[in-house]
Amino acid sequence: MTATLRFLGTGDAMGVPRVYCDCAVCTEARATGVNRRFRSAVLIDDPEAGHIMIDCGPDWGRMMETAGLRFAERMLLTHGHYDHIGGLPEWADACRWQERRGVAYAPEVTIAEVTARFPWLSRTIEFRPADGGFRLGGWNVRAWRVNHGHNGYAHAYRFDHAETGWSWAYCPDAIGLSEAEKAPLAGLDLLVLGTSFWHETIPYERRSVHDVVEALELLRELKPRAAVFTHLSHDIDLTRRYELPESVRFAETGLRIRLGDG
Ligand SMILES: O=c1ccn([C@@H]2O[C@H](COP(=O)(O)O)[C@@H](O)[C@H]2O)c(=O)[nH]1
């Protein structure tokens, strides 16, 4: 059986709709919901490793309800920013009420940030350093630091299947990657990349995530076999048809991708 990647949340740091905003995308998100987006998170459903979520933003509870999920045993964290970890206390409470222990993998620096911010989490969640790489079922997993522009740094994860050789990566929050940061993104079957806006016009020094224009340029360089753009702001309107290469698409809530096809 093949593992599946499910997009539980596909939004940027504010989600869609933005609470203060009456633009057409936010209005559509409120009315019909094509553009309604929780903060970005994915679920790996692997025949050997079980359910593993990547990132745990403040929409965690509603995301789980929407997806019809009752529990997540394991979590991978990309960085310690609110939109990626704000749901950890709720997950920890769910662990506590069920008398189960959650396991969260993260780079040591992220573990330190998270446990400083939420010191009680270690009672119910076991934090495991991801720095040296680790194994999840058949996947060899590595994490590395990526530039996050104005907001410092984040991490990306690469997964290589030991038997099939199939490889994919999750890099939701990055911009202006250096050559060394790009290197682990080479030769992928699938790249999931954060792109908040189509073309973000605020000064570069204030930006923290690739826009679609930059991401398409990066794809021309990295040449993954397929790519999915996530971490989408209210600038992206999924009721529209965008001109994207055939192998590239925007993520939508509930999208499932088989990790091993093709
Ligand atoms: O030190 C920080 C800086 C920012 N945050 C939160 O992270 C996101 C930033 O959004 P991006 O657009 O993905 O860069 C936002 O929710 C900030 O509140 C943080 O937690 N810590």
Side-chain angles (χ1 to χ4, degrees), residues 12-13 79-84 117 148 151 173 196 208-209 231:
D12 72 345
H79 58 307
H81 286 174
Y82 177 70
D83 52 327
H84 294 258
R117 210 182 282 191
H148 191 12
N151 275 329
D173 243 358
S196 295
S208 52
V209 186
H231 201 280

Side-chain angles (χ1 to χ4, degrees), residues 156-222:
Y157 284 93
R158 176 176 172 131
F159 303 78
D160 288 276
H161 201 277
E163 279 164 30
T164 65
W166 214 86
S167 60
W168 67 282
Y170 189 72
C171 180
D173 243 358
I175 190 168
L177 298 177
S178 69
E179 292 306 313
E181 290 167 340
K182 278 184 226 170
L185 296 175
L188 292 169
D189 290 290
L190 171 70
L191 172 57
V192 181
L193 189 65
T195 56
S196 295
F197 291 77
W198 185 274
H199 176 49
E200 196 172 13
T201 52
I202 63 168
Y204 190 80
E205 319 76 74
R206 290 184 16 224
R207 294 185 46 214
S208 52
V209 186
H210 289 114
D211 65 22
V212 174
V213 174
E214 292 157 343
L216 291 173
E217 183 59 43
L218 191 61
L219 297 188
R220 281 190 280 276
E221 200 181 325
L222 297 170

Side-chain angles (χ1 to χ4, degrees), residues 20 54 84 91 100 146 177 187 208 224 226 236:
Y20 63 81
I54 311 184
H84 294 258
W91 178 45
R100 294 168 79 167
V146 289
L177 298 177
S208 52
I236 304 298

